[in-house]
Amino acid sequence: MSAQKTPRRGALSALVGIIGFSALSGVLITAMVAPALAVTGITASSTIGIFDGLPEYFEIDQQPERNTLYAQFTGAGNVDGYYPIATIYDQNRQEVGYDQISQFAVDATVAGEDRRFFEHGGVDLQSTVRALVDNLVASDIQGGASTLTMQLVKNTYISKAESLTNEDERKAAYADAVRESFDRKLKEMKLAIGLEKRYTKKEILTAYLNIANFGNATYGIQAAAQRYYSVNAADLTLEQSASLIAIVQEPGARNLADPENFEANQERRDVILYAMLEVGSITQEQYDAAIAIPVDETTIVPSAPSNGCIAAYDYAKWFCDYVVRSVQDFEFLGDTPEERETNWTQGGYKVYTTLDLDAQIPAQAATWEYAPPSETSYALGSATATVEAGTGRVLVMAENKVFNDTAEGGGVDTSAVNYNTSYNYGGSGGFQPGSTYKVFTLIEWLNQGKGIYDRLEGTARTMQGSQFADSCNGPHSGPVPFKNNAGERGIYTVAEGTAESINGVFFSMASQLDQCNIRNVAASMGVERADGKELESFPSSIIGTNTVTPLSMASAYAAIGAGGLWCEPIIIDKAIDSRNNELAGQQPNCRQAISPEVAATTAFVLEEVLTRGNARYADPKDGIPMFAKTGTTDGAEQTWMATGTTRYGTATWVGNSIGDQDMSRVSYAGVQGYRLRHYIAKATNSALNVKYPGTGFGEPDPKLLTGSGTEVPDVRLQSLEQAKSVLTSLGFNFADGGAEDSELPVGQVVRTNPGAGTQSAAGATVTVYTSNGNLVPLPDAVDDGESNNYGAAKGILNSAGFANVSQGCMVVPAADPRINKVISSNPAPGTLVAKSVAVTLVVGQVLPCP
């Protein structure tokens, strides 16, 4: 390799300094564009005036570069706790310094594109004269005479055009940048001269190599070296350098991504190698060795395209897509959405996200195992999101489909729809959350000072819309029928109704609340419909009919664990720009959505869920306190599991992305359909609890245990009508439980359910049971146990109306006076019984009892 040339100014630069830019440049340009002057009548002097009107120079700005996304990770390959997950760019470029570029590439550029680069001052006199001849022969402006500095000017305008976000503006700017015209050539030449005055040759050459187009959306020598040879620009060999520089004149026809271009590339490469030999950049021996190496599949070492989320780390593609779609929200990129998009396109950012691969990988792996993307008999979907409590940082975002946003798609196991997010961020239309939404009715119940041990009617029934107040939409009308999943009937506490997810209890609760307030609780805790519309507040909404996003449900459950503090989901911790300035990322945006007392009491109730039914399969059983709520929609079309600790909230959905497959009728990996969500949630939370171990929840508010309810009064011994009057006057609903066996006179109240003294909510149903008067004391047919034989004792009972009498026996000693006498009865004398009861008279005898 030859020694590095020392940049120097040539004769043209010195001459310009003596007679001035304008005069000399006017003469040169007049010669260059003589055909145009002949047509337009512009004189040399007027050309000088036009030249003077152009700017002197422009700054060599940062060119569009790659943006790199990082996620947290403690596994192999992490650097300072982060791991690269994606590279995003409009132009695949990574700027490097002069000393990071192979000398072969520098020499190939100068020899192949501008031999007198180190001699001229931006405009090459010899090349300009040659271009004059060509233009005169063609009677048109055919181009030519472009130095590396002029090419840098042109490429800069092309790059700026390609960076415009408005398509019409982009097309117009690009056409202007590439057109062969009198005024454009003037601009290139004057700006080139200005650049030569302002920057060193090294700086100009470095800028050129960082901006040059190497085809296949690859810009700059570093990206080209990586794309086509899988090396850094500093490590390029002679033949590799020449092949890359061979591309810049015709990127479409000579880039190395297409084998059909290899022949054309090699032809130009060999010309450049010979030029390097001619100018003394390389020796004959180096030339002979390089020229013998073919340009083909054996020498090209390409790296797979790495742009976009489709090329992202397999376990993080959906999160990557969410980041890209959220750029307009990143205030650290600029003051307006337009400025943010522009700066993102300019690129060069290292973006450190909130995603935690230590939890994301197990969550995504479990999602693929228990909701396989290859299912073709119906549209199986699954999504899991985790939001950190108290900050809103999104730690997990998993989906069962494989991300693919190409126009062609990737087959049945792929999708471009993010099930976790809203429609505007690449999401679907959302999914009904079922009973996971009931938590907002529970919270509003507590907001109103009512208690979790208040007792309410839980029986499935049909209520009327008029029973449900709604200050947002006015009264509802029509019937409101509902069922219970397990057919539960009777009275339950709010806590029991929540743990067992009894619809009847929640409709009873909702009938005492404002439906608008229930909706507002959900909204204040960040729940959003995927379509962006306002949450509905119909009576049916209380059991989860709004189509919501898993991400927003995770944020709501995180708020419970954070003592009622809801934080908007955020995804960027920090960023470092192209100048190595650290940017703050997204800042937590939190509000106290519910009181700490209500949050603690809610968590207290929801902890019980993990001890019941299928929900037990979601419990990591690792000692970390956790609360949860299950959700299943009609026909088991959608199934949910929402969980939380003091450190995070997780929402897992498994169901139909479209269609109505009953999830209870399928199974994967040996797990029944109802339990799939639980297995995914367990895998996710088990990993989270290792890195984000939660602590105990606050104690429930004593006032919210019993609430502001009313004690059920003692109405025993009263008539049915008297009891009804007392109960309804206290705000209870009355129900006649019918007559039952009792010693009380017929019609008197025997008992109530809930019992007297029980704290129950206003509007709770109290069932009253009256006496049928058929319980009487059992007559004493035993006497002293030595007097009545069986016949006499039976006669006593029969005469009192007890007809169902039988004999039993007990062995006694031979001299015992109780032989053949009734020793005892069962039931015992004096017991209150119905006359139909079976009575056994026990007789003493010497022989063993049969």
Side-chain angles (χ1 to χ4, degrees), residues 436-609:
T436 57
Y437 199 86
K438 288 177 180 175
V439 69
F440 307 115
T441 299
L442 171 63
I443 289 171
E444 176 57 16
W445 180 264
L446 299 175
N447 283 343
Q448 297 303 318
K450 300 176 183 292
I452 62 172
Y453 295 138
D454 287 346
R455 298 171 64 84
L456 294 166
E457 178 61 58
T459 304
R461 58 201 186 277
T462 296
M463 300 178 71
Q464 297 300 314
S466 58
Q467 295 177 257
F468 299 90
D470 189 343
S471 61
C472 291
N473 301 305
H476 296 280
S477 60
V480 182
F482 56 87
K483 299 177 181 180
N484 288 327
N485 186 56
E488 296 93 342
R489 299 180 59 83
I491 307 297
Y492 298 86
T493 67
V494 169
E496 291 170 338
T498 302
E500 296 292 346
S501 199
I502 301 171
N503 290 340
V505 171
F506 278 84
F507 277 98
S508 294
M509 293 164 66
S511 68
Q512 299 182 42
L513 302 171
D514 186 336
Q515 310 311 296
C516 184
N517 287 348
I518 296 174
R519 184 202 71 182
N520 291 343
V521 165
S524 72
M525 297 178 71
V527 178
E528 63 176 4
R529 286 179 59 95
D531 58 13
K533 296 180 181 178
E534 189 173 59
L535 292 170
E536 295 172 348
S537 59
F538 300 118
S540 59
S541 300
I542 65 173
I543 56 173
T545 57
N546 279 289
T547 50
V548 301
T549 66
L551 180 59
S552 70
M553 288 296 286
S555 77
Y557 275 72
I560 297 171
L565 184 70
W566 175 79
C567 297
E568 181 181 11
I570 56 176
I571 51 180
I572 308 299
D573 280 337
K574 66 177 181 179
I576 297 175
D577 67 16
S578 61
R579 295 174 175 82
N580 210 35
N581 298 313
E582 184 167 322
L583 308 177
Q586 291 180 289
Q587 300 304 300
N589 179 22
C590 306
R591 62 171 176 258
Q592 195 70 38
I594 58 176
S595 72
E597 294 78 14
V598 167
T601 307
T602 301
F604 174 75
V605 174
L606 296 182
E607 281 185 282
E608 182 65 21
V609 172

